[in-house]
Every structure is written in C-alpha cells, then in structure tokens.
Amino acid sequence: MRKSKQETAETRERIVATAATEFRRQGIVATGLSELMGAAGLTHGGFYRHFDSKEQLVTEAGAAALASTTETLSGAATGKLRREALRAIVAKYLSTAHRDHPQAGCAFAAIGSEMARADKKTRAVATDSFAKLVEMLAACFEDVTPTEAKKQALVAASTMIGALLMSRVVNDAELSKSILRNAENAIRDM
Amino acid sequence: MRKSKQETAETRERIVATAATEFRRQGIVATGLSELMGAAGLTHGGFYRHFDSKEQLVTEAGAAALASTTETLSGAATGKLRREALRAIVAKYLSTAHRDHPQAGCAFAAIGSEMARADKKTRAVATDSFAKLVEMLAACFEDVTPTEAKKQALVAASTMIGALLMSRVVNDAELSKSILRNAENAIRDM
DNA sequence: TGTACATCAGTGAACGCGCGTTCACTGATGTAC
DNA sequence: TGTACATCAGTGAACGCGCGTTCACTGATGTAC
C-alpha cells in the first residue's frame, strides 16, 4: 500500500487543507484527529506518517489558513491603488459572506482565542501573518508617513478582526450587520 | 451531607465563578467538569445537583464573566464625564494588565471564537452584554447625535476587542504593546 | 533493463486516559404534625 | 417546641464514548546491483 512520493505529498497537503477548514469551522480542541482524517478520506492511523503530533498540524493548518486569507485579500486589491485598494480589502473582509463562512476565512476571527493559547511555533506563524496583513493595509495609506501608515494599519486590522468576530458572536441579525457596516465605514474614513 | 439553602446557593455561585475564570483561562472545550469542580473545592459528581448540563454552566459563566467586565469598566469611568470617561474605559481595557490576565478579563477576547459557536442562550447573553458595552461607550460621545454616537461606539468596541485579542495572539512583545497603544490612541481621537 | 529486497503510506486494532453524564449511597437540613 | 420523616447536597464509582498516540501488518514504491 505504499504510495508514490507525489501521492504522499498530495495526501499531506490534503490533510493540512482539511485541518485548516475543520479547525476554523469547529475550533481546534473540538476537532478530533479521527474525524479530521476521515474528512480527508483517510483512516486515522496514518496520521503519524505525516506529522509528529496534533500540535504540528495546528501550526501548519494555521499557517495555511492565514496565508490563504492574506492571498484572497491581496487578490481583491490587485489593479487598485491606495484608498481604492483599502476599500476593496475591507469590503471583502467585512462582508456577510466572510462572516457566514468562518471555515474559509480569517483564522484570527475564527480561532483567535485558541491561537492565543497555542504553542510557540503556531504563535510565531500567527505573528508573521498578522504583520503581513498590517503591511498590506499600511501600503494603502500613502497620504501619511510610513510610520503613521503602519499605526493606522494596526488599528484598521484590530477593528476588522474584532468586528468580524463580534458579528459572529451576536445573535441579532441587525446588530451583526451594523457592526460590519460601521467598522467598514470607519476604516474607509481613516 | 445535605447543605443548607444558603450553603447550596453559595456553592452554586462558587461553581459559576470558578467556571468563568477557568473557561477564560483555558477555553471552554478544553476545560473539563472534573477539573472545574475540583478547582471549586468539590468532587465532580455533585455538578448535576446545580446544573442540567455543561452548556448551561457555559451560559451562566459567560454571563457572569461579561457582567463583571462591564462592571469593572463602568467602575473605571465613575466620577468622569464623556471623553474623560472614554479615556478611562479604553485605558483599562487596553492595558497590559488586562492582556496578561485573560482569566479575569473580557470574555469576548478570551473565548470569543468559542462563543460564536455556542448555543442560542449563550449567544443571547453575549449579545446583551455587547449591547451594554456599546451603550456605555456611546454615552461617552456626547458631541454628536445619539445615532452617530452609537456608530462610533460600535467601532470602538470592535477595535478594543480585536486589539486585545491580537495583543495576546502575537509572539512579539513590541508588536503586542504597539497594537494596544495604537488602538487606544485611535479611539481617544475618534 | 530486470530482479531482489528494503522502505514506508495507509489500515485497523489497541493503548491509557479523560470526557460528560448517571447513580446508589450518606447524612445533615428542612418540614409536617 | 419536639419528634419523625422526607428531601436533597455532595461523594465516589461507574457508564459509554472519543480522545491523541502506538503498533503489527499489507503490499506497492523505490533502490541497489
């Protein structure tokens, strides 16, 4: 039953991608490895051919999830400049579509509180991704100094993540939309 | 071994208070009932004399945690008016002390992503508490119309929660402080 | 290039453990007369 | 007010279950000659 090198690499990628989805959908602790491997079309016994531990998968899945979000946002801004790019990024991030599909969205909003308790490597990955998101936003503020742009970008990122998280927590459709829309407007006017 | 009505009520309160702390410290799913009851000075068997399920405790502990945070912030603002009250609230919320003690702080930042997946009752409790926090902040913006004040308060709340969450996620002390300080300044200048 | 053998991806059973929940039991509290 | 009895808070063992991890096994892949 040994698989070719290419198949092995594909399987590994599939496990990471499945984990990135399932962790964001259900939470890290609440997602079991058996369930995860089943969702990836495998039995659980093979897991340790690819990873040393669940923790290692958490690190890699976190990195994959965050990279995908950064890429999506960056894609929404391609061909656009400065403020227009900012608007596109923020509109995408604070959309109801993003709110309603945590399994495919920003890991900070979906599993942020679990990431704050994760091991060193996972937090290092999260720190890098956050820095990239801030850089992307800072590039949109050209009318101010780079230092000021970075400050504004830090605030914008915090607002976006907090707003998306709370739009999912609250049980009131109107309030939820209002959180998203007002955060979007505020960043637009920064 | 039956306890008096007062002792029973005290025990129940103690379990809720312990849960409010432990859930914020370790996460909801990661906190077991045996461990929790032990931390409250009891054995696990007695749990179901007080609660129907873990879910019910989650609801009550969430309510207790959020009420305590709202109260603390409200306390920081007593005797202060408008912008001065805003500064006091935001300074308290975005302090390094708050960041470093999630078990005693805002549940949205500590277990927000788990609350977003919680049952109806817990989310209703969370929604009420968020609305109260927004009201408290809105009361600080008196130089604008009530509608505008509420909008600014929604944004301020999102920024505060997102900033506190990310200050805990990142693995870089300088970046962490920078997130808190810039969010604080931004809200001060709203 | 063909053959013999070592490697190892994936399977499925098993490990010890802790989970949420239930239950028989104890004995102090609360209540009815 | 005092007594008899019902209630029930808390204990600790047990329930079935799923957790993360390990392991013997299978058989196709990769490699050495």
Side-chain angles (χ1 to χ4, degrees):
Chain A
M1 295 200 184
R2 186 180 183 179
K3 296 297 170 74
S4 72
K5 285 188 175 182
Q6 188 188 323
E7 277 176 305
T8 301
E10 283 169 5
T11 298
R12 198 193 142 94
E13 264 183 55
R14 186 153 34 90
I15 296 170
V16 172
T18 304
T21 299
E22 292 303 304
F23 287 159
R24 282 178 289 182
R25 194 166 66 82
Q26 310 191 75
I28 295 170
V29 178
T31 301
L33 291 184
S34 285
E35 180 196 1
L36 200 62
M37 291 295 279
L42 297 159
T43 55
H44 66 279
F47 179 81
Y48 293 90
R49 291 275 166 212
H50 297 282
F51 307 96
D52 291 338
S53 62
K54 185 181 180 181
E55 268 201 338
Q56 193 195 340
L57 178 61
V58 169
T59 305
E60 297 200 25
L66 289 167
S68 136
T69 299
T70 308
E71 217 170 303
T72 300
L73 294 177
S74 164
T78 48
K80 299 190 174 67
L81 282 175
R82 325 289 176 185
R83 311 299 298 196
E84 208 192 333
L86 179 68
R87 282 180 200 204
I89 290 169
V90 176
K92 183 118 202 163
Y93 192 97
L94 294 174
S95 66
T96 53
H98 191 181
R99 177 195 63 192
D100 298 337
H101 297 92
Q103 77 281 358
C106 175
F108 295 134
I111 49 172
S113 44
E114 289 188 273
M115 279 188 149
R117 289 179 208 105
D119 70 5
K120 217 176 169 177
K121 284 185 179 175
T122 301
R123 291 182 66 213
V125 155
T127 305
D128 279 0
S129 284
F130 182 71
K132 263 183 199 142
L133 174 64
V134 171
E135 260 177 53
M136 189 198 299
L137 291 168
C140 300
F141 296 107
E142 76 135 356
D143 44 350
V144 294
T145 64
T147 307
E148 191 57 35
K150 206 207 159 182
K151 288 183 177 187
Q152 292 189 8
L154 274 174
V155 176
S158 299
T159 304
M160 287 162 66
I161 293 164
L164 183 60
L165 172 63
M166 291 313 303
S167 78
R168 287 173 180 158
V169 168
V170 301
N171 212 5
D172 173 325
E174 205 184 326
L175 178 58
S176 176
K177 262 211 137 179
S178 173
I179 293 167
L180 295 177
R181 194 169 32 227
N182 284 300
E184 188 180 355
N185 290 338
I187 297 170
R188 199 173 282 207
D189 296 343
M190 269 177 75
Chain B
M1 296 202 183
R2 185 180 184 180
K3 296 297 169 74
S4 71
K5 284 189 176 180
Q6 188 188 325
E7 277 176 305
T8 302
E10 282 168 6
T11 299
R12 199 193 143 95
E13 264 183 55
R14 186 153 34 90
I15 297 171
V16 172
T18 305
T21 299
E22 291 302 303
F23 288 157
R24 282 178 288 181
R25 193 166 67 83
Q26 311 191 73
I28 296 170
V29 179
T31 302
L33 292 184
S34 285
E35 180 196 0
L36 199 63
M37 291 294 279
L42 297 159
T43 54
H44 65 281
F47 179 81
Y48 293 90
R49 292 273 167 213
H50 297 283
F51 307 96
D52 290 337
S53 62
K54 185 181 180 181
E55 267 201 340
Q56 193 195 340
L57 178 61
V58 169
T59 305
E60 297 198 26
L66 289 167
S68 136
T69 300
T70 307
E71 215 169 305
T72 301
L73 294 176
S74 165
T78 47
K80 300 189 175 68
L81 282 176
R82 326 288 176 188
R83 310 300 297 196
E84 208 192 334
L86 179 68
R87 281 178 200 205
I89 290 168
V90 175
K92 184 117 200 163
Y93 192 95
L94 294 174
S95 65
T96 53
H98 191 181
R99 177 195 64 192
D100 298 337
H101 298 90
Q103 76 282 358
C106 175
F108 295 134
I111 49 173
S113 45
E114 289 188 274
M115 279 188 148
R117 290 180 206 101
D119 70 4
K120 216 175 170 179
K121 284 186 180 175
T122 301
R123 291 181 67 214
V125 155
T127 304
D128 278 359
S129 284
F130 182 70
K132 261 183 201 141
L133 175 63
V134 171
E135 258 177 57
M136 190 197 298
L137 291 168
C140 300
F141 296 107
E142 77 136 355
D143 43 351
V144 295
T145 65
T147 308
E148 191 58 34
K150 205 207 159 181
K151 287 184 179 187
Q152 292 189 9
L154 273 173
V155 175
S158 299
T159 304
M160 287 160 66
I161 293 164
L164 183 60
L165 173 63
M166 291 313 303
S167 78
R168 287 173 180 160
V169 168
V170 300
N171 212 6
D172 173 325
E174 205 184 328
L175 178 57
S176 176
K177 261 211 138 179
S178 173
I179 292 167
L180 294 177
R181 195 168 31 225
N182 284 299
E184 187 180 354
N185 290 338
I187 296 170
R188 200 173 281 209
D189 297 344
M190 269 175 75

